[in-house]
Amino acid sequence: MIVVTGATGNVGRTLVRALTQAGEQVTGASRASGADLTRPETLKPAFDGADAVFLMTPAAFLPDGDLDAVVDVARASGVRRLVLLSSQGVGTGRHPANLEAAVTGSGLEWTLLRPGNFASNTYAWADGVRVAREVSAPFVDVALPVIDPDDIAEVAAVVLREPGHAGATYELTGPAPISPRGQVAALADALGEPVRLTELSRDEARARMTRFMPAPVVESTLDILGSPTDREQRVSPDVERVLGRAPRPYSDWVARSLAAFR
Ligand SMILES: NC(=O)c1ccc[n+]([C@@H]2O[C@H](COP(=O)([O-])OP(=O)(O)OC[C@H]3O[C@@H](n4cnc5c(N)ncnc54)[C@H](OP(=O)(O)O)[C@@H]3O)[C@@H](O)[C@H]2O)c1
């Protein structure tokens, strides 16, 4: 049995479906099902008897939360394999490595997935696009190789089910860097209507982001969005290495998610 934490989220939703379609027995865990990662004692019923756990960490774990107690529950439940949804920012020194350390020091089989910026972050634009055909974003011409969360889920499904990935760290990106201006153009193209783009200053963006992210994480995220390193702009070969196909472009995510923007 495989447990998927964050089962109702951008990656978890698709991962549950992919594993189920592959014939696996899957337990989806999130607060909605009574499994709260910030209260590890609530995880035991979901983890009991699982072979593998896909671990996602919500914002409450940033910047310096502790996964040790969650890993202890997994170990005590007989779990053999952990796959952590980490972040590219750990590899580039933007975020602390403590969550990964809890997993790599667990004594269990582990694999780390380090995705860059998610295509689904642009759901934050959905209300503005739907209501007024407008988007406000900072750093509108800075391009990053955003990753489709369905590609992360497909990589996770392979790593959870198949041997040969123990001890591996995969950096997951899309197939090409795209800027917010390029993303807005892709949305406009799919809608068949113009979408106006307004550039926010860093201060304006910070004021919006601190409503749903801890302050230190807002700063490191703004650093990545505004001044990415060469490594953060690089297209990683790892999605293709694991899936045997190129990662999906942002326009694919838009085509599948357009209902939220119409
Ligand atoms: N977004 C990015 O660009 C990005 C980049 C790199 C890495 N990541 C990593 O990917 C993760 C997911 O990203 P996302 O922003 O797309 O998240 P998301 O899909 O919106 O994830 C939310 C999921 O987490 C569950 N959840 C929230 N708090 C929980 C808790 N205390 N205990 C158990 N489950 C909880 C939610 O379900 P319930 O509400 O039912 O609990 C939901 O299933 C991030 O937290 C981060 O670690 C994200």
Side-chain angles (χ1 to χ4, degrees):
M1 190 263 284
I2 299 175
V3 175
V4 175
T5 67
T8 54
N10 291 309
V11 175
R13 223 178 10 240
T14 308
L15 178 55
V16 168
R17 198 167 52 235
L19 291 171
T20 306
Q21 280 170 0
E24 298 289 345
Q25 196 190 333
V26 183
T27 298
S30 73
R31 288 168 304 181
S33 67
D36 186 339
L37 286 157
T38 64
R39 295 168 49 230
E41 69 282 3
T42 65
L43 303 173
K44 186 85 178 128
F47 283 15
D48 240 349
D51 301 310
V53 174
F54 175 77
L55 267 182
M56 69 78 69
T57 51
F61 281 81
L62 297 173
D64 50 14
D66 184 355
L67 256 187
D68 290 336
V70 172
V71 169
D72 286 346
V73 176
R75 201 186 300 100
S77 304
V79 171
R80 289 181 302 107
R81 181 179 295 180
L82 295 175
V83 175
L84 177 69
L85 179 60
S86 180
S87 167
Q88 183 189 47
V90 177
T92 58
R94 305 279 194 181
H95 304 313
N98 52 312
L99 301 179
E100 291 191 356
V103 168
T104 58
S106 64
L108 306 178
E109 243 181 54
W110 56 264
T111 306
L112 303 177
L113 306 183
R114 289 180 174 168
N117 215 21
F118 289 9
S120 48
N121 292 347
T122 56
Y123 275 135
W125 300 345
D127 286 349
V129 173
R130 219 175 31 247
V131 174
R133 293 286 186 254
E134 68 183 20
V135 167
S136 304
F139 313 119
V140 296
D141 291 308
V142 180
L144 292 168
V146 301
I147 173 93
D148 189 321
D150 280 10
D151 281 345
I152 304 173
E154 282 190 39
V155 168
V158 169
V159 164
L160 284 159
R161 297 185 67 231
E162 296 178 9
H165 302 283
T169 298
Y170 296 121
E171 188 169 287
L172 305 178
T173 72
I178 183 167
S179 64
R181 194 186 297 283
Q183 290 176 303
V184 169
L187 281 165
D189 197 40
L191 289 165
E193 287 182 42
V195 176
R196 195 154 31 96
L197 174 61
T198 304
E199 180 152 26
L200 296 175
S201 69
R202 184 174 174 119
D203 285 348
E204 288 166 335
R206 178 187 299 113
R208 292 182 182 207
M209 290 162 73
T210 43
R211 286 184 219 140
F212 56 91
M213 272 186 190
V217 183
V218 170
E219 290 313 320
S220 52
T221 302
L222 286 169
D223 289 344
I224 295 171
L225 295 177
S227 320
T229 61
D230 289 349
R231 168 112 177 255
E232 286 159 349
Q233 289 188 297
R234 182 190 77 140
V235 172
S236 166
D238 288 352
V239 168
E240 183 143 16
R241 199 171 277 160
V242 177
L243 298 182
R245 62 155 178 83
R248 297 178 174 96
Y250 178 72
S251 55
D252 266 36
W253 180 85
V254 168
R256 282 181 282 112
S257 314
L258 201 59
F261 298 88
R262 276 203 194 283

